[in-house]
Amino acid sequence: MKKLLKIAAFSITAVALAAAHADENAIKQSIAKSMPDVKIDSVKPSEVKGIFEVAVGSTILYATEDGKYLFQGRLIDVESRTDLTERKLAATRLAALDKIGEDKMIIFKPKINKYTVSIFTDIDCGYCRKLHSEIDQYMAQGITIRYLFYPRAGKGSESYNKAISVWCAKDRNAALTAAKKDQKVETKTCENPVDEHMKLAADFDVKGTPMIVTEKGNIYPGYLPAKELVEALETEKKLH
């Protein structure tokens, strides 16, 4: 009898897995047919029966199991008051930043590192300049700052060209500090990651700068003084 039950359970699981894969394929085929330019990274069942989670870069979409309907929004667990979508987005942000790699960032490191944040910055943004003018305070709190460029005026703008000149400078850190003080930086061009940073910013739905991404993949839009940022990072650690 126990053997029969095991066989039955295995059969049900196999059927469920086959159905899930069939649904995943239906969704992929449907999206590929109507939106061929969309690159799907993964399709898997969400926490809601009949709804699948579709990962496209750093974006999370949801689809019905037949692939007929695709929608974007927040999936909230009402009982626990948990934003399930944000939790998944945090993971995709971290993966995307890892893919970019630190060799494509401008990094300011304290003597003793306690925290690491990635910041999308615009050289000509007022609050970005304010944040960087206090860089010693962030260093004193043990915060490593990894900068990525997001010139809000867009490609070809003065801010965009400044970002490239900073990246191509012999001493990028010194050049960035000078540029943020509105000092003249020698105009240069070279192979650079600025376009890659901008694409990532678009994937992260960056609306303004500075935008801070924590080690857990959470976002703090706007300027935060060093002490407030440490408090936020400590709270984040406790919650995880």
Side-chain angles (χ1 to χ4, degrees):
M1 185 67 176
K2 285 184 179 179
K3 188 175 181 180
L4 287 173
L5 288 173
K6 284 182 180 179
I7 293 171
F10 178 79
S11 299
I12 291 169
T13 302
V15 169
L17 286 172
H21 285 304
D23 293 335
E24 289 171 20
N25 290 331
I27 292 166
K28 287 179 181 178
Q29 289 171 12
S30 177
I31 294 174
K33 185 178 179 181
S34 59
M35 294 177 281
D37 294 333
V38 173
K39 183 182 178 299
I40 298 173
D41 293 311
S42 68
V43 177
K44 53 189 176 183
S46 75
E47 289 82 353
V48 180
K49 185 178 180 181
I51 300 296
F52 280 70
E53 177 188 296
V54 182
V56 179
S58 300
T59 301
I60 299 293
L61 305 173
Y62 295 99
T64 51
E65 57 192 356
D66 57 4
K68 187 176 180 181
Y69 298 100
L70 185 70
F71 57 96
Q72 186 174 7
R74 297 284 175 168
L75 192 60
I76 309 292
D77 184 325
V78 177
E79 186 176 346
S80 65
R81 298 183 182 182
T82 304
D83 187 335
L84 301 176
T85 303
E86 180 57 32
R87 192 165 64 191
K88 300 291 177 65
L89 285 172
T92 63
R93 291 184 195 117
L94 293 178
L97 287 167
D98 285 344
K99 189 175 180 181
I100 287 272
E102 288 194 344
D103 60 328
K104 292 184 180 178
M105 302 176 187
I106 296 180
I107 304 173
F108 287 78
K109 291 184 177 180
K111 290 181 180 178
I112 300 174
N113 180 65
K114 296 179 181 177
Y115 320 92
T116 300
V117 297
S118 304
I119 302 179
F120 287 91
T121 191
D122 180 334
I123 287 172
D124 294 316
C125 147
Y127 276 106
C128 295
R129 289 186 171 189
K130 179 173 175 58
L131 187 154
H132 193 72
S133 71
E134 298 167 2
I135 195 72
D136 289 344
Q137 296 176 36
Y138 294 92
M139 297 296 101
Q141 294 289 343
I143 303 172
T144 291
I145 291 180
R146 310 190 307 181
Y147 277 123
L148 300 98
F149 290 112
Y150 181 54
R152 295 174 301 169
K155 191 168 181 173
S157 65
E158 186 177 353
S159 297
Y160 176 86
N161 293 331
K162 284 180 184 178
I164 291 175
S165 293
V166 165
W167 182 263
C168 298
K170 187 175 181 180
D171 186 334
R172 292 169 183 161
N173 291 55
L176 182 61
T177 297
K180 284 183 177 287
K181 290 180 178 179
D182 212 19
Q183 295 174 1
K184 180 69 176 175
V185 174
E186 184 182 354
T187 301
K188 287 186 175 183
T189 58
C190 65
E191 187 175 343
N192 65 83
V194 178
D195 286 352
E196 199 172 346
H197 291 177
M198 293 173 71
K199 183 181 181 303
L200 188 61
D203 288 345
F204 283 15
D205 197 27
V206 176
K207 301 295 186 186
T209 51
M211 191 185 86
I212 302 167
V213 186
T214 72
E215 289 175 287
K216 302 296 183 182
N218 297 319
I219 282 176
Y220 291 96
Y223 159 80
L224 275 180
K227 287 186 178 179
E228 287 185 27
L229 180 54
V230 166
E231 288 173 7
L233 295 173
E234 280 298 314
T235 299
E236 182 182 75
K237 274 187 178 181
K238 291 172 185 175
L239 293 174
H240 290 79

